[in-house]
């Protein structure tokens, strides 16, 4: 009896420590981060723009609450539903395992592990949010069906599990290796000594692991090894009433590398050591931007968004420098190899934010993309457009230039000119100046086609981006060609309707034409005509001219935010509307700032404030987002816009100045300087901008301030 009382006293203390862990370990800025933001469903039809059909969950948030370091290989997080965006959905009540990779795009969620005690025929445990907590680099939950308290933390390449079992006998650990968010085509696990396990999981790529326990393994039970219905259970020897600790290293190269990653990053360090290190790394990153003023909710949302902006791209090289390249060969490099960024989403803002705060990561990401280009002939793109061009150009023009720019430029020119690579339909684009779509009778949301309007607009911007590299390298001929091509967006503008409109192969406009109807890839990529018709971030004067000047542009832009959305038009990721403007997806994220170009910044600010204050932190729990976080793009939008700067054209080394939510925003720059933004006045209408005490004309400030430091005073009324 005395032993049981002692055990339960210990368990209660562990639970209390875990639940209060955020306040204990979060000293300065991590205490503001809520890692659950983006995990709850968005259900309000007034925000979505439509009523969710039965059985649908909106594509909002799709974030994970578990442990990760910035841009790490390992993201150790609970999974409540395989096949869901990030594996974890806040409304669920059963946890099926703790997986070690994540992104939020219906993939990854590799190497699921779950502690068991007296399990039934199926695996999984109920849990409640009252017995769940998290902070950057830490996650905790109590598994009610197994009476196990779980603590998780992680390093760059390793996970650290700590399980406190109520029952000290019959303790088990499930390796559910047949499951992941990708289809598993094979797996294996074997014992590697009295307290160690090793194996791999095969999805689109092979993920190796090496794990150690602080207690002996009694036996390893395997059912249908390598098969889709199989699993493995580790039976632990009975021992002292202490938490079971499982340390696991991952590698995309080999078991030996996974073991080396584990030995070097965790070794003999304690759970507390690793958790403290994780918190400190997040503190260092988050303290790069220090805000004063604003409400507590705004500060919490700001740092939660800043946190989520640094979870992707993910590290893929091991501590010894080895990685598996685009040709599936194991190679070694003197830089950290990363996954490609989620470029269609993140080129707009997040890739710039990454470069401002973690320039070495950005440099390594560029080198990683270049390595892919060397192996395949093309710099990788993601999903749509050729925005590796914009991300690389933007970083280069901001001074991240310690890479082979000339050879990178050579590959980017291939992207822009050679078919069969990064730009589908590039031959048609070059020959005609636009990309057509087929004549489809009665097209619907999911009609398969070219998304010719979106591609033409985006390729035009990518041409502009590449032209800026050409200019800096002195390649005058290609500069002129690319700058001429950057005007191709004009070929999609229909003056009769004043929309960017699809064309047929013969150049005729596609009819019938409904500018409010959304498509996934017919004429538009995940958008309607309203949402793409203000995209020419590299040539806003030229775009305004198409609309007949400032007055015509203003009236059209007003309509974007006021024409009601038709609730019968349902495309799951085209959601959360302000009129026809969709903040729940990326294609029109620059539109709220467009009023600046007709000297009406106060109109922009009203839209920006509406978005900041009503489309982030939604719902009863205040943790729903208005759309997919998309590897941090949605979060980076908030981080920039709430702090008073935005990368309207991410390629260009300048920032549009908005009114921050905070009285003061101080950036600690990568050069060791400080850049301080101060809001003067209590209003939300911008009246003047002063840089280092001197009023400036216009609304842009140069990137040079992030090198030299200085002050930006934002005067309001």
């Amino acid at each position: 009896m005395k032993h049981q009382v002692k055990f339960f006293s210990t368990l209660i203390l562990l639970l209390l420590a875990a639940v209060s862990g955020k306040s204990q370990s979060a000293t300065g800025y991590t205490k503001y981060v809520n890692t659950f933001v983006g995990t709850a469903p968005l259900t309000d039809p007034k925000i979505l723009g439509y009523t969710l059909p039965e059985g649908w969950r909106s594509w909002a948030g799709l974030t994970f609450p578990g442990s990760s370091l910035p841009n790490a290989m390992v993201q150790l997080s609970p999974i409540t539903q395989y096949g869901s965006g990030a594996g974890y959905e806040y409304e669920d009540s059963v946890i099926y395992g703790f997986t070690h990779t994540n992104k939020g795009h219906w993939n990854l969620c590799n190497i699921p592990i779950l502690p068991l005690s007296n399990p039934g025929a199926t695996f999984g445990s109920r849990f409640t949010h009252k017995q769940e907590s998290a902070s950057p680099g830490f996650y905790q939950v109590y598994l009610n069906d197994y009476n196990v308290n779980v603590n998780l933390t992680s390093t760059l390449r390793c996970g650290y599990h700590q399980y406190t079992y109520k029952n000290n006998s019959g303790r088990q650990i499930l390796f559910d290796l047949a499951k992941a968010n990708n289809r598993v085509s094979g797996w294996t696990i074997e014992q590697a000594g009295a307290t160690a396990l090793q194996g791999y999981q095969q999805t689109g790529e092979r993920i190796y692991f090496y794990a150690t326990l602080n207690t002996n393994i009694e036996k390893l039970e395997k059912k249908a090894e390598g098969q889709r219905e199989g699993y493995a259970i580790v039976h632990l020897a009975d021992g002292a009433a202490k938490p079971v600790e499982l340390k696991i290293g991952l590698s995309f190269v080999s078991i030996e590398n996974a073991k080396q990653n584990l030995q070097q990053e965790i070794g003999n360090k304690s759970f507390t050591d690793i958790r403290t290190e994780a918190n400190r790394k997040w503190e260092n990153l988050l303290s790069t931007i220090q805000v004063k003023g604003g409400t507590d909710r705004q500060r919490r949302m700001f740092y939660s968004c800043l946190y989520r902006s640094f979870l992707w791209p993910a590290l893929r090289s091991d501590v010894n420098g080895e990685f598996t390249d685009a040709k599936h060969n194991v190679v070694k490099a003197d830089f950290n190899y990363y996954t490609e960024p989620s470029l269609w989403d993140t080129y707009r803002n997040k890739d710039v934010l990454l470069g401002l705060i973690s320039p070495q990561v950005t440099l390594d990401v560029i080198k990683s993309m270049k390595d892919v280009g060397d192996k395949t002939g093309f710099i990788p793109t993601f999903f749509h457009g050729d925005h590796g061009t914009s991300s690389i150009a933007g970083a280069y023009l901001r001074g991240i230039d310690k890479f082979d720019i000339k050879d990178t430029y050579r590959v980017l020119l291939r992207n822009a000119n050679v078919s069969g690579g990064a730009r589908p339909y590039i031959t048609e684009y070059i020959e005609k100046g636009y990309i057509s779509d087929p004549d489809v009778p009665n097209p619907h949301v999911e009609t398969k086609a070219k998304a010719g309007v979106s591609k033409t607009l985006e390729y035009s911007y990518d041409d502009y981006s590449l032209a800026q590299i050409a200019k800096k390298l002195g390649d005058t001929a290609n500069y002129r060609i690319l700058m001429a091509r950057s005007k191709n967006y004009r070929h999609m503008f229909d003056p009769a309707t004043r929309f960017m409109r699809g064309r047929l192969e013969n150049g005729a406009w596609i009819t019938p034409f409904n500018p409010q109807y959304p498509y996934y890839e017919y004429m538009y990529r995940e958008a309607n005509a309203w949402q793409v018709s203000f995209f020419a971030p590299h040539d806003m004067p030229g775009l305004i001219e198409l609309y007949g000047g400032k007055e015509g542009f203003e009236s059209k832009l007003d309509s974007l935010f006021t024409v009601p959305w038709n609730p019968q038009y349902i495309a799951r990721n085209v959601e959360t509307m302000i009129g026809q403007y969709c903040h729940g997806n990326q294609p029109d994220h620059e539109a709220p700032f467009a009023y600046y170009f007709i000297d009406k910044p106060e109109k922009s600010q009203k839209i920006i404030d509406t978005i900041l204050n009503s489309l982030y932190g939604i719902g009863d729990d205040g943790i729903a987002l208005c759309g997919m976080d998309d590897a941090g793009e949605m979060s980076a939008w908030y981080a920039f816009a709430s702090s008073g700067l935005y990368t309207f054209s991410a390629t260009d080394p300048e920032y549009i100045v908005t009114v921050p939510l905070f009285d003061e925003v101080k950036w600690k720059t990568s050069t060791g300087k400080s850049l301080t933004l101060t809001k003067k006045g209590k209003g939300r209408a911008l009246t003047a901008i002063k840089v280092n005490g001197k009023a400036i004309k216009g609304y842009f400030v140069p990137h040079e301030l992030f090198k030299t430091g200085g002050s930006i005073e934002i005067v309001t009324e």
Side-chain angles (χ1 to χ4, degrees), residues 162-225:
Q162 187 180 74
Y163 308 141
T164 303
Y165 291 79
K166 179 180 178 180
N167 298 318
N168 191 39
S169 61
R171 300 172 300 178
Q172 303 172 12
I173 300 174
L174 171 71
F175 279 69
D176 209 3
L177 297 174
K179 294 186 175 66
N181 262 14
N182 297 87
R183 185 182 185 277
V184 177
S185 58
W187 60 272
T188 188
I189 185 172
E190 62 183 3
Q191 198 167 335
T195 60
L197 300 148
Q198 62 188 27
Y200 67 80
Q201 185 181 58
Q202 181 81 42
T203 56
E205 54 192 339
R206 185 168 289 189
I207 304 97
Y208 299 91
F209 65 89
Y210 182 87
T212 62
L213 290 153
N214 66 340
T215 188
N216 284 340
I217 298 168
E218 183 179 277
K219 69 173 180 177
L220 174 60
E221 174 191 357
K222 295 189 277 189
K223 179 180 178 181
E225 184 172 13

Side-chain angles (χ1 to χ4, degrees), residues 45-60:
K46 294 179 181 177
I47 298 175
L48 280 168
Y50 59 87
T51 299
L52 281 167
E54 186 176 353
W56 274 32
R57 189 186 197 268
S58 69
W59 286 356

